[in-house]
Amino acid sequence: MEKAGTKRRDIHFRSDKNGIVVCVHSREAREYARYLETSADVASYETGTVLDPDKYPFINTIGIRKEYFDTQWTSDFVIHFTDGRTGIRELTNKDGLSKRAAIEKLEFSRRYWSTTKVAEWKIVVTLVLACYWRNSSLADWLW
Protein backbone atom coordinates (compact mmCIF):
# COMPACT_ATOMS: atom_id res chain seq x y z
CA MET A 1 0.00 0.00 0.00
CA GLU A 2 1.35 3.40 -0.96
CA LYS A 3 0.31 7.02 -0.73
CA ALA A 4 -1.59 8.07 -3.85
CA GLY A 5 0.19 10.61 -6.04
CA THR A 6 3.62 9.97 -4.54
CA LYS A 7 6.41 10.42 -7.05
CA ARG A 8 8.04 7.07 -7.67
CA ARG A 9 9.48 4.85 -10.35
CA ASP A 10 6.92 3.62 -12.87
CA ILE A 11 7.23 0.33 -14.73
CA HIS A 12 4.77 0.04 -17.63
CA PHE A 13 4.07 -3.24 -19.42
CA ARG A 14 1.42 -4.79 -21.61
CA SER A 15 -0.86 -7.14 -19.72
CA ASP A 16 -2.33 -9.85 -21.93
CA LYS A 17 -4.71 -10.89 -19.15
CA ASN A 18 -6.11 -7.35 -18.81
CA GLY A 19 -5.71 -6.27 -22.43
CA ILE A 20 -4.18 -2.95 -21.38
CA VAL A 21 -0.88 -1.36 -20.37
CA VAL A 22 -0.41 -1.74 -16.62
CA CYS A 23 1.77 0.39 -14.33
CA VAL A 24 3.52 -0.86 -11.18
CA HIS A 25 6.13 0.84 -9.00
CA SER A 26 8.74 -1.79 -8.21
CA ARG A 27 10.49 -4.78 -9.73
CA GLU A 28 8.85 -6.94 -7.08
CA ALA A 29 5.39 -5.73 -8.13
CA ARG A 30 6.33 -6.44 -11.76
CA GLU A 31 7.33 -9.97 -10.87
CA TYR A 32 4.11 -10.50 -8.94
CA ALA A 33 2.17 -9.22 -11.95
CA ARG A 34 4.02 -11.79 -14.09
CA TYR A 35 2.85 -14.45 -11.67
CA LEU A 36 -0.76 -13.20 -11.97
CA GLU A 37 -0.48 -13.21 -15.77
CA THR A 38 0.26 -16.95 -15.72
CA SER A 39 -2.12 -17.92 -12.92
CA ALA A 40 -5.07 -19.94 -14.28
CA ASP A 41 -7.43 -18.88 -11.48
CA VAL A 42 -6.94 -15.14 -12.13
CA ALA A 43 -9.33 -13.59 -14.66
CA SER A 44 -7.90 -10.05 -14.37
CA TYR A 45 -6.24 -7.69 -11.93
CA GLU A 46 -5.82 -4.00 -11.21
CA THR A 47 -2.79 -2.17 -9.83
CA GLY A 48 -2.65 0.99 -7.76
CA THR A 49 -6.35 1.01 -6.88
CA VAL A 50 -7.18 4.21 -5.00
CA LEU A 51 -9.00 3.70 -1.70
CA ASP A 52 -12.23 5.67 -1.27
CA PRO A 53 -11.84 8.19 1.60
CA ASP A 54 -15.62 8.12 2.13
CA LYS A 55 -15.15 4.61 3.57
CA TYR A 56 -12.43 5.67 6.02
CA PRO A 57 -14.95 6.55 8.81
CA PHE A 58 -16.02 2.89 8.85
CA ILE A 59 -12.47 1.71 9.68
CA ASN A 60 -11.63 0.98 13.31
CA THR A 61 -8.99 3.54 14.36
CA ILE A 62 -7.43 1.57 17.24
CA GLY A 63 -3.70 1.06 16.67
CA ILE A 64 -3.50 3.16 13.48
CA ARG A 65 -2.14 6.71 13.37
CA LYS A 66 -4.77 9.41 12.86
CA GLU A 67 -2.84 10.97 9.95
CA TYR A 68 -3.35 7.76 7.95
CA PHE A 69 -7.06 8.60 7.87
CA ASP A 70 -6.24 11.96 6.26
CA THR A 71 -4.11 10.38 3.51
CA GLN A 72 -5.13 9.07 0.09
CA TRP A 73 -3.88 5.47 -0.29
CA THR A 74 -3.61 2.93 -3.08
CA SER A 75 -3.62 -0.86 -2.82
CA ASP A 76 -1.02 -2.82 -4.74
CA PHE A 77 -3.25 -5.43 -6.45
CA VAL A 78 -6.98 -6.03 -6.72
CA ILE A 79 -7.44 -9.50 -8.20
CA HIS A 80 -10.57 -10.78 -9.94
CA PHE A 81 -10.62 -14.57 -9.83
CA THR A 82 -12.26 -16.80 -12.42
CA ASP A 83 -14.79 -18.03 -9.84
CA GLY A 84 -16.07 -14.46 -9.31
CA ARG A 85 -14.25 -13.74 -6.04
CA THR A 86 -12.17 -10.60 -5.54
CA GLY A 87 -8.91 -10.56 -3.59
CA ILE A 88 -6.44 -7.96 -2.43
CA ARG A 89 -2.67 -8.36 -2.35
CA GLU A 90 -0.44 -5.86 -0.58
CA LEU A 91 3.31 -6.19 -1.16
CA THR A 92 5.91 -5.64 1.51
CA ASN A 93 9.46 -6.78 1.99
CA LYS A 94 10.63 -8.89 4.91
CA ASP A 95 11.97 -5.84 6.75
CA GLY A 96 8.58 -4.15 6.48
CA LEU A 97 7.10 -6.80 8.74
CA SER A 98 9.15 -5.44 11.64
CA LYS A 99 8.39 -1.74 11.07
CA ARG A 100 5.46 -0.18 12.86
CA ALA A 101 4.57 2.17 9.99
CA ALA A 102 4.44 -0.70 7.48
CA ILE A 103 2.33 -2.83 9.81
CA GLU A 104 -0.10 0.06 10.37
CA LYS A 105 -0.49 0.61 6.62
CA LEU A 106 -1.15 -3.08 6.05
CA GLU A 107 -3.68 -3.15 8.88
CA PHE A 108 -5.33 0.00 7.49
CA SER A 109 -5.68 -1.75 4.14
CA ARG A 110 -7.02 -4.95 5.72
CA ARG A 111 -9.63 -3.04 7.73
CA TYR A 112 -10.60 -0.92 4.71
CA TRP A 113 -11.16 -3.91 2.45
CA SER A 114 -13.04 -5.78 5.20
CA THR A 115 -15.77 -3.13 4.85
CA THR A 116 -16.27 -4.17 1.22
CA LYS A 117 -17.28 -7.37 -0.57
CA VAL A 118 -13.68 -8.52 -1.02
CA ALA A 119 -13.41 -12.26 -0.35
CA GLU A 120 -9.76 -12.38 0.69
CA TRP A 121 -6.95 -10.07 1.69
CA LYS A 122 -3.32 -11.22 1.83
CA ILE A 123 0.19 -9.89 2.22
CA VAL A 124 2.83 -10.85 -0.34
CA VAL A 125 6.28 -10.78 1.26
CA THR A 126 8.83 -10.01 -1.42
CA LEU A 127 12.46 -11.00 -1.41
CA VAL A 128 15.07 -8.86 -3.12
CA LEU A 129 18.00 -10.92 -4.32
CA ALA A 130 21.13 -9.45 -5.81
CA CYS A 131 22.39 -10.04 -9.30
CA TYR A 132 25.23 -12.49 -9.69
CA TRP A 133 27.73 -12.87 -12.49
CA ARG A 134 28.29 -16.08 -14.38
CA ASN A 135 31.09 -16.54 -16.91
CA SER A 136 32.13 -12.92 -16.21
CA SER A 137 29.77 -11.66 -18.92
CA LEU A 138 26.19 -12.64 -18.20
CA ALA A 139 24.00 -11.33 -15.42
CA ASP A 140 21.14 -13.52 -14.32
CA TRP A 141 18.54 -12.03 -12.04
CA LEU A 142 17.06 -14.15 -9.31
CA TRP A 143 13.67 -13.30 -7.91
Side-chain angles (χ1 to χ4, degrees), residues 21-67:
V21 173
V22 174
C23 179
V24 295
H25 304 295
S26 70
R27 285 190 301 225
E28 294 80 16
R30 175 64 181 107
E31 288 304 311
Y32 190 71
R34 281 190 179 119
Y35 164 76
L36 294 175
E37 288 286 326
T38 61
S39 182
D41 63 337
V42 173
S44 66
Y45 61 92
E46 303 163 32
T47 62
T49 301
V50 177
L51 306 187
D52 181 0
D54 292 338
K55 293 183 182 176
Y56 290 5
F58 301 105
I59 300 172
N60 184 339
T61 60
I62 295 173
I64 299 176
R65 296 172 213 197
K66 288 187 176 191
E67 57 264 22

Side-chain angles (χ1 to χ4, degrees), residues 1-4 49-51 56 68 71-74 105 108:
M1 190 162 97
E2 300 175 336
K3 288 182 180 179
T49 301
V50 177
L51 306 187
Y56 290 5
Y68 286 12
T71 304
Q72 184 71 57
W73 297 101
T74 63
K105 290 176 201 174
F108 184 92

Side-chain angles (χ1 to χ4, degrees), residues 56-106:
Y56 290 5
F58 301 105
I59 300 172
N60 184 339
T61 60
I62 295 173
I64 299 176
R65 296 172 213 197
K66 288 187 176 191
E67 57 264 22
Y68 286 12
F69 292 85
D70 297 326
T71 304
Q72 184 71 57
W73 297 101
T74 63
S75 277
D76 295 322
F77 290 91
V78 176
I79 304 169
H80 305 283
F81 295 101
T82 54
D83 64 2
R85 292 177 303 123
T86 301
I88 304 300
R89 299 296 183 270
E90 298 291 6
L91 276 58
T92 189
N93 60 32
K94 182 181 170 187
D95 294 336
L97 295 176
S98 61
K99 295 179 182 173
R100 181 177 177 220
I103 297 295
E104 286 180 83
K105 290 176 201 174
L106 292 168

